[in-house]
Amino acid sequence: MVEKQVLKEVIDTAVSGGGDFADIFVEERINVGIGCEAGKIERVLSGVEVGAGIRVLSGDSTAYAYTNDLSREGLLEAAKIVSHAAAGGKKEVNLDFTRVKPLVDFKFEERPEDVSTERKAALVEAADKAARAVDQNRIKQVMVGYGDVVQKVTIANSNGDYVEDERIRTRLMVQAIASAGSIMQTGYEAVGSLCGFELFKSNPPEVVAEAAARRALEMLEAKPAPTGKMPVVMASEAGGTMVHEACGHGLEADLVQKNLSVYAGKKGQVVAAKEVSVYDDATIDNRYGSYRFDDEGVPARKVCLIENGVLTDFMYDRLTAVKENRQSNGHGRRESYQHKPVPRMGNTCIAPGKTDPEKIIKDTQNGLLVKKMGGGQVNTTTGDFVFDVAEGYLIKDGQIGPLVRGATLTGNGPEVLRIVEMVGSDLGFTIGTCGKDGQGVPVSDAQPTMAIKQLIVGGTAKSEPNARIRRI
């Protein structure tokens, strides 16, 4: 997108004021989005976004400027602006760029631009019809959203690193609302991957839509959830929402260094049950949060964060790594060229254990089985969280009992990890867009089936919640 010679001039100009480090992130992004509501295609959106972000690090300070003018003159003007933020004499930089090699590679079988808009729209319509066909009387509303993005990036820096990369992501989300009398319930299902249109070979849109519709219908028959402290089994189907929110953010190095994380100062200490290990691995094939390089040009790698209950590492970008005189471990991510990189998760997982998931349920006499998580909130400083349960069942005498609705889980992330009693041999993933510092990035989270000794469960025995639309 930009010639190497121009990149060299930009880097040289950016550090002319004396910065310690400078880089440029050049991006071309092609987006397609299709939405269906009320049985009709309501919107087909496509667009191309092109621009560059230029950054200078000087001590603990960051200067950042971005522009959509990729001409030599436009880039040099942005570089001059950030150069003024640095202090001291100009430092020697390596302008003999060397291409950085990734530690992993990904292949895209059916590129989005090779698939017609008509075919994509037909897929959305098929999902809508499949959801409605589950129960034409009680399914009152269906929303389907399709999206794909092709992102090409070029990254160069004053260390002499040069990276070219391409990321392709495809996703489909279906939300169905069912009603019976005065009761309304919502079912939601989403699939997405670092891949092209081949996503739907293993995830047919009709199957995704039927799952969302059936969940909404089943919730109509569910009993109000009980209230109180009780054992909780988190099924692998629930994905890693809890590990992402209640644990993952607290392991991002910027929050740790600002003492905004409950894990600050605890490296090398026991922070979880010995059965619990947590890692972030952006190299997993075809996961929504995977990437070859982070947005600073650092190759992605697997990072062990908690090993057998002991806190071993955090997720670093270049700036936080420099503060501790170490190397970044590939977690500097940004939403687009308009944002500076910050430490972010990729694919955050609790590692599988050795226990049969069915045994975990049988060994739980009474409690709550969570099969699908909803939204929630977490305080990263304390680790306190509140999560909605989108699909939960009572466990009675070691058997899965009736479906319940309106349950919430309240607890503290670090405390929960300490009271995990059993870890299953399975592993289930969920996808999402993680928000931080006003920007969002695609992520995946995963966990095995886990038995948690006790959580506070909030119920709805006296009231029924209204159905809420989750905008796509």
Side-chain angles (χ1 to χ4, degrees), residues 38-338:
K40 298 179 181 179
I41 299 293
E42 294 286 346
R43 60 188 183 277
V44 179
L45 305 174
S46 62
V48 179
E49 193 174 8
V50 179
I54 302 170
R55 177 179 60 160
V56 172
L57 302 182
S58 182
D60 292 339
S61 300
T62 300
Y64 193 75
Y66 64 89
T67 177
N68 60 7
D69 182 357
L70 295 188
S71 68
R72 175 179 177 274
E73 294 73 20
L75 294 174
L76 289 176
E77 180 61 29
K80 290 177 183 177
I81 292 173
V82 294
S83 71
H84 296 322
K90 180 179 178 181
K91 296 184 178 182
E92 293 296 324
V93 296
N94 182 4
L95 295 181
D96 185 14
F97 289 143
T98 300
R99 185 185 290 269
V100 181
K101 295 182 180 180
L103 302 177
V104 66
D105 199 11
F106 303 112
K107 295 182 179 179
F108 306 112
E109 297 178 12
E110 193 169 9
R111 299 177 61 89
E113 63 267 35
D114 294 335
V115 179
S116 67
T117 302
E118 291 78 11
R119 187 177 168 196
K120 295 175 183 178
L123 180 145
V124 170
E125 291 176 329
D128 176 81
K129 291 178 181 178
R132 295 179 185 278
V134 174
D135 191 318
Q136 296 182 357
N137 294 321
R138 292 187 295 170
I139 295 295
K140 302 299 183 181
Q141 187 173 352
V142 176
M143 296 175 61
V144 182
Y146 166 90
D148 62 53
V149 58
V150 178
Q151 181 195 33
K152 296 180 181 179
V153 301
T154 300
I155 306 168
N157 63 42
S158 55
N159 290 342
D161 300 325
Y162 179 83
V163 166
E164 290 182 354
D165 195 20
E166 182 179 49
R167 299 91 174 252
I168 297 177
R169 288 186 172 89
T170 305
R171 66 188 185 277
L172 178 72
M173 294 159 281
V174 181
Q175 182 166 269
I177 292 181
S179 71
S182 61
I183 300 175
M184 297 180 65
Q185 293 295 321
T186 301
Y188 178 82
E189 194 72 17
V191 294
S193 181
L194 183 79
C195 71
F197 211 69
E198 67 269 17
L199 170 68
F200 303 108
K201 292 180 179 179
S202 55
N203 297 277
E206 295 85 356
V207 174
V208 177
E210 288 170 3
R214 292 190 187 282
R215 182 170 293 115
L217 291 169
E218 289 170 357
M219 293 302 292
L220 292 176
E221 309 297 329
K223 297 181 178 181
T227 300
K229 294 182 178 179
M230 64 185 72
V232 172
V233 175
M234 301 288 297
S236 61
E237 297 100 307
T241 300
M242 182 172 289
V243 67
H244 178 98
E245 296 290 357
C247 173
H249 279 298
L251 297 174
E252 293 167 340
D254 55 341
L255 297 180
V256 173
Q257 292 174 352
K258 295 173 183 176
N259 285 317
L260 296 176
S261 167
V262 69
Y263 295 105
K266 294 184 178 179
K267 192 171 180 180
Q269 297 181 21
V270 175
V271 296
K274 64 179 182 179
E275 293 83 4
V276 174
S277 293
V278 178
Y279 62 90
D280 193 284
D281 187 1
T283 69
I284 303 174
D285 193 30
N286 291 335
R287 290 300 172 185
Y288 200 55
S290 297
Y291 47 87
R292 296 185 185 95
F293 299 93
D294 72 0
D295 294 322
E296 297 181 299
V298 178
R301 66 204 68 184
K302 182 178 180 179
V303 178
C304 181
L305 302 167
I306 298 174
E307 185 173 11
N308 298 326
V310 178
L311 179 60
T312 57
D313 207 352
F314 299 113
M315 290 170 277
Y316 291 86
D317 65 352
R318 290 185 185 271
L319 180 60
T320 53
V322 166
K323 292 180 179 179
E324 298 184 24
N325 195 29
R326 58 166 290 167
Q327 297 293 316
S328 166
N329 54 20
H331 283 87
R333 304 187 67 194
R334 65 182 100 198
E335 180 177 327
S336 73
Y337 73 90
Q338 299 178 29

